[in-house]
Amino acid sequence: MRSTARRLTLTAGFLLASVVVCMAVLLWGAHSSTARRMIVDRLVEGVRTATGLDLRLSSLEMPLLLGGADFSGIELRTADDAILASIGEIRVRWSWWELATRRRVELVGIRDPAIDLDELLVFEMPVSGGGGDGGRFELGRLDVDGLRLHGDGPPVGITAENLAVNGSLDGTRGRMEVDGGRVDVRRDGRPLRIESIGFEAALDEGGLHVADIVVIGPLLEVAAGGHLTLESSIDGRLEGRLSADAALVPWWFGDEEFPLLASGRVAGPWSVNVRDGAVAGATFRHDGAEFDVVGLKCRTLEAKLEDGSRIDVRLAGPTWGQAGAVVDAAGFAARASVERWSPMAVLSLVNPDPPIPAALGVPGLTGSGELRG
């Protein structure tokens, strides 16, 4: 009996010693420069194969027990050696059991990432020759702090700083939230300040469900939600409310090309239909306070985009009547029905002088009108 117990004790001791030795060898291998170099080489090759981008790292550290990895000084460069994105630090944490049984990573933390929007817009991802969806993958938590986006356009330049992103992924279902930060938008050097943005969405087999989009600034406020399918193309619908100051018009077109002909603020519900990745239709209806257009007090503004190119706008006021305009591939046409107002003001609506045609980008502007009194 004592012999059996002694053998069991020796066997247990041997197994424990073997485990300790194996862990020591494993830890030594992970922390050795040779092992880290092999891991980095595999990462670089994997990123290049999947995206066509060149991955560069300043350092890689493997925490105790190999339950994670810390990357720092990351750059993603295009084939032209332009920096598409840079990242200060990436922290990855996992449980070996969860990784082996559920393909689950507990945490991906990203600090101080910066993305060049101009490079991103022209970047083309290589077409993969592989098949399948790669199986199920889970991410317990995504934390991104200090995100910076920058691009010079056209048509506008954008700089967004100190954005925070949080999310998770459970197989084919995921969620993402974007919050905070400051966004500066530029149009030919003219600034437009956005004080805060927010975005919340969920992703599943049915597509992207947008729970909330919020944009808040002195001249523009937007709230929206909707659904988009993300298969061979982007299709769906977004809708919400919009509040915009009249000063947005000269900001977009320029004070010299399109002087401030309106004052006040428009506000009301809007919708956008997306088909094959492009805006196919849109609507807006003002339901706020009166605003002024070339001296006309207006309570009604309705705008509609049809077939991706035809724009129909209608203005009306209780003291003067109504006016409208249509812009499509054939050109520009205007109409007016005025009850009580200056004929010169009617002409400014029906047949405006340049440079309004140049600002709209419609050659050969012609107009017709109707005056009733």
Side-chain angles (χ1 to χ4, degrees), residues 23-339:
M23 290 180 62
V25 172
L26 197 58
L27 287 171
W28 170 84
H31 288 275
S32 70
S33 59
T34 302
R36 288 198 298 267
R37 185 71 258 168
M38 292 175 59
I39 294 172
V40 170
D41 290 343
R42 291 290 300 273
L43 285 172
V44 170
E45 183 60 30
V47 171
R48 183 181 293 117
T49 301
T51 67
L53 295 170
D54 181 19
L55 171 65
R56 302 185 185 182
L57 298 173
S58 295
S59 67
L60 165 63
E61 299 294 335
M62 306 291 289
L64 190 64
L65 300 180
L66 303 180
D70 295 335
F71 308 89
S72 62
I74 304 109
E75 288 183 352
L76 290 172
R77 292 178 175 261
T78 66
D80 299 328
D81 202 37
I83 299 176
L84 188 148
S86 63
I87 304 172
E89 179 188 37
I90 298 178
R91 296 168 51 248
V92 185
R93 296 292 182 267
W94 64 82
S95 158
W96 281 110
W97 176 256
E98 295 286 342
L99 186 63
T101 58
R102 299 172 56 187
R103 301 184 65 186
R104 178 182 175 88
V105 173
E106 295 297 334
L107 168 68
V108 174
I110 302 175
R111 299 294 178 267
D112 300 324
I115 300 175
D116 189 319
L117 298 178
D118 296 325
E119 292 294 335
L120 183 63
L121 289 175
V122 299
F123 172 69
E124 294 184 3
M125 185 83 74
V127 178
S128 173
D133 59 6
R136 182 185 180 91
F137 175 77
E138 296 183 13
L139 173 59
R141 191 169 86 249
L142 170 69
D143 287 336
V144 181
D145 287 334
L147 172 62
R148 184 178 190 273
L149 307 173
H150 178 80
D152 293 323
V156 296
I158 297 175
T159 299
E161 296 180 327
N162 296 322
L163 301 180
V165 181
N166 298 285
S168 64
L169 179 65
D170 181 6
T172 57
R173 307 177 69 89
R175 66 167 187 85
M176 178 176 290
E177 298 178 7
V178 180
D179 192 21
R182 172 187 170 126
V183 180
D184 292 315
V185 185
R186 302 172 301 280
R187 171 77 170 172
D188 295 332
R190 298 182 295 274
L192 174 67
R193 189 174 82 254
I194 304 297
E195 296 174 341
S196 179
I197 64 172
F199 175 80
E200 182 178 352
L203 178 68
D204 59 21
E205 298 91 337
L208 183 68
H209 305 275
V210 181
D212 197 21
I213 299 176
V214 178
V215 177
I216 299 176
L219 300 184
L220 178 67
E221 295 184 6
V222 180
H227 175 264
L228 298 172
T229 59
L230 309 173
E231 296 180 354
S232 58
S233 65
I234 301 177
D235 301 278
R237 177 182 173 89
L238 296 174
E239 58 186 10
R241 284 193 63 84
L242 166 71
S243 175
D245 194 278
L248 280 175
V249 175
W251 172 79
W252 181 266
F253 293 106
D255 293 328
E256 295 80 12
E257 296 181 353
F258 206 127
L260 184 59
L261 302 177
S263 62
R265 200 172 184 95
V266 297
W270 65 272
S271 67
V272 172
N273 294 317
V274 180
R275 185 171 61 244
D276 295 331
V279 176
T283 63
F284 173 77
R285 179 176 56 82
H286 173 71
D287 61 8
E290 281 189 351
F291 60 97
D292 186 280
V293 177
V294 291
L296 297 173
K297 297 296 182 181
C298 301
R299 286 186 181 173
T300 299
L301 169 61
E302 297 176 352
K304 181 167 56 176
L305 171 67
E306 297 177 325
D307 301 324
S309 60
R310 186 180 188 273
I311 302 174
D312 192 337
V313 180
R314 174 178 171 266
L315 280 171
T319 61
W320 60 271
Q322 62 180 355
V326 175
V327 180
D328 57 20
F332 178 92
R335 61 186 182 276
S337 175
V338 179
E339 298 173 357

